[in-house]
């Protein structure tokens, strides 16, 4: 074999590995839609996504497949987690970049690395044995709740929000800060009126990405939210249980018979896929425009 | 407006002090959350763990006995995932950093990697079930579960390897090419060896992710508690075992023990990865 053919073959092989990810994404879409789309069309996207009742094995009468309560559940818990995680994470990021002495910086960075590594099922277990009883005893209700899900997801989102926001804050030019301090502003005024506004888009990207991750999270949420496929009543009651889209798939795949029921779970997967894809696309758009503005 | 009002009530110095107090508090809260999770799991789990817990098979659906088959199952699944995602990920990274022209195809590849990283794990699990278990006929098996895990960690190995390869200095490469080496010889004998610590770190971190993953393997690897004899047999991974123990209320003690073992495995792996990275960073820092 000549040198040149050898080089060409290797390049082809490397190209093939590079294309693998694209092929997998395409296969995922093909199989998800192959299994779920016929049902979606048959049942109606509208009735599926906005239907209020999920009752796939109706003993008497027609089974119904409405996932609106689960869409609400997923969004509710993800939004709740951000309400908790963003202020804390942002505070931590500002502290990390602007205030922390070196030892505290090292400690927090190590801590974030550890927190990222904790498997979601372990966090869910922690929520199940500690958080759920705590909520039940102190706030009342069932314990398995929107609140529990939001807290656990907030813990999962925290390290990502801290590290992306810290990067955005680090990227603010030093001259902005010095100018503000030279004008007599205190350190806090500089952080609030100069640094945070300048880092705004990076932080926004972190928040949107966090939302996408939270909606896609499965195990941790599944173990603490109670999983009842109905809307909370009243809607603002964070102590009510809910079921998320991800939990719907995991719980029912076990016993869903082939046919409408199983296809409805794949259709749930399609809805989940689309929601997360939209959030990720927005987040990338924000980050990209930020990078271009930086240039 | 509100800032102006507030400064009239409190002096700027006071606001500054209160604000930094709050920032300190948020950092301390973060560390406390972490410590309470790890502390609880380790404190309650450590008493359960002994040799027979690690090396016995579960009895009475896991209420008694040990978790040996689940540990073996997890290791098998992760081995398949790493042995496939490693080479493909490094190959993809070499292509993207050293060969890829700046054109539509390359953009599509980078976009594909991004997309795959963003897909929720349960969706990958569903796909694994439809494609690997049913369509390709692999059944519930180590092979199906391992490949599904590979789909999940592939983007991370690609990115980590890309980062590692990008840090290899251009001088080294030019020196090699100037000596008459071909592109591939340069990559194999100059670029890859220098990027190896970074690549290793990335792959080890991928292992850490794969070990704790549950949703991907639930409907691909099965849930058998017997020891597997080939990669075509089903296994129950440790995180899935933990989920079943906890959610079905089989045994709190066994669940704490399993959680502690799982957490220990993940933390050990991540610690190894970070240590390798720091060691090589310190060494290359000395060299310059």
């Amino acid at each position: 074999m000549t040198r040149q053919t050898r080089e060409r073959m290797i390049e082809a092989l490397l190209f093939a590995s590079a294309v693998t990810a694209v092929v997998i994404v395409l296969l995922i879409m093909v199989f998800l839609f192959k299994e779920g789309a016929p049902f979606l069309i048959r049942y109606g996207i509208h009735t599926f996504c906005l239907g209020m009742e999920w009752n796939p094995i109706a003993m008497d009468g027609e089974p119904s497949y409405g996932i609106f309560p689960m869409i609400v559940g997923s969004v509710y818990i993800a939004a709740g987690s951000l309400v908790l995680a963003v202020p804390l994470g942002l505070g931590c990021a500002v502290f990390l970049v602007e205030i922390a002495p070196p030892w505290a910086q090292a400690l927090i960075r190590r801590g974030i690395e550890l927190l990222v590594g904790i498997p979601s099922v372990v966090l869910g277990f922690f929520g199940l044995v500690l958080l759920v009883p705590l909520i039940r005893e102190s706030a009342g209700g069932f314990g398995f709740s929107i609140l529990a899900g939001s807290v656990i997801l907030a813990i999962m989102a925290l390290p990502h929000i801290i590290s992306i926001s810290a990067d955005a804050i680090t990227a603010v030019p030093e001259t902005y800060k010095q100018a503000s301090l030279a004008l007599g502003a205190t350190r806090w005024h500089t952080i609030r009126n100069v640094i945070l506004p300048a880092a705004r888009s990076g932080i926004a990207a972190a928040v949107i990405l966090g939302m996408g991750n939270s909606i896609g999270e499965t195990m941790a949420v599944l173990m603490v939210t109670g999983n009842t496929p109905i809307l909370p009543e009243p809607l603002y009651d964070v102590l009510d249980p809910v079921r998320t889209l991800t939990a719907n798939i995991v719980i029912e795949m076990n016993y869903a018979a082939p046919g409408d029921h199983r296809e409805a779970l794949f259709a749930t997967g399609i809805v989940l896929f689309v929601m997360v894809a939209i959030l990720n696309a927005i987040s990338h758009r924000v980050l990209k425009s930020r990078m271009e503005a930086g240039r | 407006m509100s800032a102006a009002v507030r400064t009239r009530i409190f002096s700027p110095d006071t606001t500054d002090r209160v604000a930094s107090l709050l920032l300190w508090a948020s950092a301390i809260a973060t560390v406390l959350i972490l410590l309470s999770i790890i502390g609880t799991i380790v404190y309650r789990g450590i008493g359960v763990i002994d040799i027979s817990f690690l090396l016995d098979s579960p009895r009475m659906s896991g209420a008694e006995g040990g978790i040996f088959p689940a540990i073996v199952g997890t290791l098998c699944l992760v081995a398949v995932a790493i042995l496939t995602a490693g080479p493909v990920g490094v190959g993809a990274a070499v292509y993207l950093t050293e060969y890829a022209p700046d054109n539509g195809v390359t953009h599509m590849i980078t976009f594909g990697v991004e997309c795959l990283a963003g897909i929720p794990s349960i969706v990958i699990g569903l796909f694994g079930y439809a494609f690997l278990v049913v369509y390709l006929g692999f059944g519930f098996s180590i092979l199906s579960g391992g490949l599904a895990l590979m789909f999940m960690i592939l983007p991370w190995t690609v990115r980590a390897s890309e980062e590692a390869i990008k840090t290899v200095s251009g001088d080294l490469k030019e020196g090699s090419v100037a000596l008459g080496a071909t592109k591939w010889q340069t990559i194999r004998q100059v670029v890859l060896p220098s990027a190896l610590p970074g690549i290793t770190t990335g792959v080890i971190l991928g292992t850490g992710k794969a070990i704790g993953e549950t949703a991907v393997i639930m409907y691909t690897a099965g849930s058998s508690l017997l020891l597997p004899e080939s990669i075509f047999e089903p296994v129950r991974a440790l995180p899935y075992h933990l989920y079943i123990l906890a959610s079905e209320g089989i045994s709190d003690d066994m669940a704490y023990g399993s959680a502690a073992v799982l957490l220990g495995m993940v933390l050990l792996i991540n610690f190894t990865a970070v240590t390798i990275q720091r060691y090589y960073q310190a060494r290359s820092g000395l060299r310059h």
Side-chain angles (χ1 to χ4, degrees):
Chain A
M1 208 188 317
T2 67
R3 240 183 182 193
Q4 233 171 4
T5 32
R6 207 176 113 89
E7 290 281 315
R8 281 239 183 86
M9 274 176 59
I10 286 166
E11 184 170 344
L13 205 64
L14 293 173
F15 179 74
S17 344
V19 179
T20 308
V22 180
V23 173
I24 295 172
V25 171
L26 290 178
L27 279 175
I28 289 178
M29 284 163 69
V30 167
F31 271 85
L32 211 53
F33 281 87
K34 181 171 90 79
E35 301 283 328
F39 170 81
L40 261 186
I41 292 161
R42 201 163 64 233
Y43 193 73
I45 296 177
H46 201 255
T47 24
F48 183 66
C49 292
L50 296 179
M52 295 297 282
E53 198 191 4
W54 174 268
N55 188 9
I57 17 183
M59 288 303 160
D60 41 348
E62 283 285 289
S64 44
Y65 304 95
I67 59 163
F68 188 68
M70 297 166 223
I71 295 179
V72 172
S74 284
V75 174
Y76 207 146
I77 289 186
S81 77
L82 290 177
V83 168
L84 299 170
V86 169
L88 191 59
L90 203 52
C92 210
V94 171
F95 175 81
L96 191 64
V97 181
E98 299 294 331
I99 294 181
W103 64 265
Q105 263 187 23
L107 183 74
I108 292 176
R109 288 206 187 277
R110 269 284 156 113
I112 295 172
E113 281 163 12
L114 281 178
L115 201 53
V116 173
I118 298 179
S120 67
V121 67
V122 172
L123 268 179
F125 175 62
F126 172 79
L128 181 73
V129 290
L130 242 87
L131 189 63
V132 168
L134 187 73
I135 291 176
R136 186 164 47 220
E137 277 148 32
S138 61
F142 191 35
F144 293 94
S145 56
I146 295 171
L147 181 62
S150 298
V151 171
I152 291 295
L153 274 189
I155 297 175
M156 292 195 80
L158 200 53
H160 301 287
I161 290 184
I162 296 174
S163 53
I164 302 182
S165 315
D167 286 347
I169 293 168
T170 314
V172 175
E174 190 67 15
T175 46
Y176 288 19
K177 208 170 91 182
Q178 282 163 357
S180 165
L181 292 173
L183 286 169
T186 61
R187 190 165 59 171
W188 169 242
H189 278 136
T190 307
I191 289 170
R192 222 190 71 148
N193 300 324
V194 177
I195 294 174
L196 287 184
R200 197 175 44 207
S201 61
I203 295 166
V207 171
I208 301 166
L209 201 65
M211 183 92 183
N213 286 340
S214 296
I215 287 182
E217 175 49 43
T218 313
M219 299 315 291
V221 186
L222 174 69
M223 293 168 83
V224 298
T225 53
N227 303 318
T228 44
I230 41 172
L231 284 178
E233 177 69 47
L235 207 54
Y236 55 79
D237 189 357
V238 293
L239 296 177
D240 261 15
V242 282
R243 179 186 286 191
T244 61
L245 293 166
T246 51
N248 194 40
I249 300 172
V250 170
I251 294 169
E252 307 215 348
M253 265 305 275
N254 243 338
Y255 61 86
D260 276 2
H261 191 183
R262 179 162 289 175
E263 287 171 24
L265 298 180
F266 276 91
T268 311
I270 295 177
V271 173
L272 184 65
F273 180 86
V274 170
M275 281 169 74
V276 172
I278 291 172
L279 286 169
N280 286 352
I282 296 173
S283 163
H284 280 295
R285 180 61 52 92
V286 173
L287 274 182
K288 208 172 151 196
S289 68
R290 180 186 159 80
M291 267 154 65
E292 272 155 15
R295 242 176 261 150
Chain B
M1 259 311 169
S2 65
V5 174
R6 215 175 295 154
T7 42
R8 243 176 262 147
I9 302 169
F10 302 109
S11 78
D13 271 355
T14 323
T15 342
D16 196 51
R17 231 169 274 147
V18 171
S20 59
L21 210 67
L22 282 176
L23 293 177
W24 270 95
S26 61
I28 292 169
T30 305
V31 174
L32 281 182
I33 290 171
L34 173 72
L35 289 180
S36 70
I37 296 167
I38 296 182
T40 311
I41 304 287
V42 171
Y43 175 73
R44 293 282 308 265
I46 204 93
V48 182
I49 301 172
D50 54 21
I51 293 292
S52 70
F53 181 70
L54 294 176
L55 296 183
D56 278 3
S57 283
R59 291 187 299 274
M60 302 173 60
S61 3
E64 282 172 25
I67 55 168
F68 187 62
I71 296 179
V72 172
T74 286
L75 295 179
C76 291
L77 289 171
V78 170
V80 171
I82 291 298
L83 290 179
T84 46
V88 175
V90 173
V94 169
Y95 181 80
L96 287 173
T97 46
E98 302 289 331
Y99 289 88
D102 188 16
N103 64 15
V105 178
T106 305
H107 286 244
M108 200 184 68
I109 294 174
T110 356
F111 182 67
V113 175
E114 295 283 339
C115 280
L116 192 55
I119 294 178
S121 53
I122 184 63
V123 172
I124 294 184
L126 268 183
F127 163 68
Y129 172 78
F131 179 60
L132 300 168
V133 176
V134 178
Y135 184 78
L136 293 182
F138 293 164
F140 293 113
S141 62
I142 295 176
L143 186 62
S144 299
L147 288 178
L149 276 182
M150 179 263 196
F151 302 156
M152 197 198 74
I153 61 171
L154 182 62
W156 307 98
T157 50
V158 176
R159 277 187 198 159
S161 312
E162 260 188 293
E163 292 298 317
I165 293 170
K166 275 184 196 155
T167 59
V168 176
S169 88
D171 294 355
L172 280 178
K173 278 188 270 183
E174 278 157 30
S176 164
V177 174
L179 286 170
T182 63
K183 192 164 187 172
W184 172 243
Q185 283 170 333
T186 304
I187 291 169
R188 214 185 60 176
Q189 288 166 12
V190 177
V191 176
L192 285 182
S194 336
L196 194 64
I199 293 175
T200 317
T201 309
V203 171
I204 298 177
L205 284 176
T207 315
K209 271 182 91 65
I211 279 190
E213 181 50 51
T214 319
V216 166
I217 47 110
M218 281 176 112
Y219 297 113
T220 50
S223 91
S224 158
L225 278 171
L226 300 173
L227 281 174
E229 275 163 10
S230 77
I231 58 168
F232 298 105
E233 288 186 8
V235 286
R236 181 191 289 183
L238 189 53
Y240 192 17
H241 187 57
L242 166 60
Y243 169 70
I244 292 174
L245 288 178
S247 65
E248 294 180 7
I250 293 175
S251 159
D252 264 8
D253 278 348
M254 291 290 143
Y256 271 111
S258 309
V261 171
L262 184 59
L263 194 61
M265 283 164 90
V266 172
L267 295 186
L268 185 72
I269 283 169
N270 289 357
F271 180 75
T272 314
V274 172
T275 310
I276 293 178
Q277 197 180 25
R278 299 238 158 106
Y279 172 74
Y280 278 98
Q281 266 170 3
R283 225 180 58 164
S284 64
L286 286 179
R287 217 188 289 144
H288 292 302

